[in-house]
Amino acid sequence: MFSDRQQQIIDESIKLIDTRGIQGFTIKNLSKKVGISEPGIYRHFESKFAILSAILDSFKRDIFENQALSLNNANDPLVKLKSFGDKIFEIFVHNPALITVIFSEEIYMNEKQLSYRIKEIQTFNENLIESLLIGLRRDKKLPDHVNIGAFILMFFGSIRLLAKKWKMSDYSFDIKTRGDELLSSLLDIIK
Amino acid sequence: MFSDRQQQIIDESIKLIDTRGIQGFTIKNLSKKVGISEPGIYRHFESKFAILSAILDSFKRDIFENQALSLNNANDPLVKLKSFGDKIFEIFVHNPALITVIFSEEIYMNEKQLSYRIKEIQTFNENLIESLLIGLRRDKKLPDHVNIGAFILMFFGSIRLLAKKWKMSDYSFDIKTRGDELLSSLLDIIK
DNA sequence: ATTTTGCGAGCGAATACTAACAAACAAATA
DNA sequence: TATTTGTTTGTTAGTATTCGCTCGCAAAAT
């Protein structure tokens, strides 16, 4: 899909956006990081837009494969939910820079094509969780007082916020531990 | 504190950041919105940084006064929590552009002084909620299984996410209604 | 009379991107 | 095997445009 050089450019772009924001994501800064000249970048991507687009493609592929996989590993919906959350934190631990890139819709706000892609990924994830909860409700295994829409907001909202806090604290705590704590509190709600 | 013209510049800046992002927040765009020339802007603020700084000052004053007020209107901690949440949604309904400005830490990431101020506001709000919950626990009115840290993440995380979704949907649903739903689900957890 | 608020013109630096050319490499040919 | 050919990947030098911001001056307000 992407050549080695292209993947390198994508990786450095993500790091650059993470550390210096969209404003720091310039072709000049990027070329320094990659170690080639500015026009050299354009040998591998036709525009800055194309790089952002590739970042989203690359991430989308990752998450679709990973999540689909983790959901097929169990039968119990609660176990699925837990492993879904675990997987998210695993991805963040493995590539913290992604937190900024996928939770900062503002980065893509000038490009409708890109913001649509971000929305698509979010909707995909929410639908996964929603169908799990609807299944539980059908089987009368979800307490009556649980509001599915509200739970989904709590689920993704708290995970996002924890990840952002982790990043803003310079990764000063163990997100795996705190994530486990959070996930078990979330699961408590629907037990 | 701020002259009429300064307040106008602050208001237009918030709107500009909301609609066009940090990248669209330029002195040229701002001067067009305000209706004066670019150098005219510099008669009222010494730099672009000073405008961002003023935005945070203005918002900080608002939220500190408003929240402190709403928390003194009741005795029951649960009622306080509800009115705290209500107040947040009221502020957003009244000034939706603030959602982008205060939930987009990336805007200020290049300026440590500014990102520190954002953090300060967040910590202030979290501490308010935390002290309410600690009080409840002391009085044995908080269920044992409730993890205070996790609940705070859920509380602010879900509110933030709902607000962002509201904005991203072009304000296509009634955030007051959905906010009420969310808040009652949140309160259910600690009852 | 003095201060405040505005303006047009223009500064140096940075932006995304292009043109023209050269080395490196691989496949095809002698 | 040695040489030619074409493609890929890189460079230096430059484009037009935009950025935040300043200068010097004039009108307006106090």
Side-chain angles (χ1 to χ4, degrees), chain B residues 5 36-37 39 43-44:
Chain B
R5 188 61 105 187
I36 59 176
S37 66
R43 288 283 171 208
H44 305 277

Side-chain angles (χ1 to χ4, degrees), chain B residues 74-89:
Chain B
N75 274 321
D76 180 3
L78 290 181
V79 176
K80 282 186 180 180
L81 213 56
K82 175 71 164 71
S83 82
F84 180 92
D86 283 342
K87 201 87 198 169
I88 292 178
F89 289 118

Side-chain angles (χ1 to χ4, degrees), chain B residues 3-46:
Chain B
S3 69
D4 287 355
R5 188 61 105 187
Q6 279 178 319
Q7 194 58 53
Q8 186 195 4
I9 290 173
I10 291 172
D11 292 343
E12 294 298 336
S13 294
I14 292 175
K15 284 188 213 162
L16 199 52
I17 291 172
D18 181 51
T19 53
R20 318 241 333 240
I22 327 129
Q23 308 220 62
F25 176 46
T26 66
I27 301 296
K28 185 166 202 156
N29 288 341
L30 180 59
S31 66
K32 274 187 219 156
K33 282 239 186 193
V34 175
I36 59 176
S37 66
E38 290 184 60
I41 298 289
Y42 287 90
R43 288 283 171 208
H44 305 277
F45 287 98
E46 67 174 2

Side-chain angles (χ1 to χ4, degrees), chain A residues 25 40 43 62 109 153 161 165 188:
Chain A
F25 176 46
R43 288 282 169 210
D62 273 11
M109 74 186 309
L153 280 175
L161 187 53
K165 278 177 174 292
D188 270 347

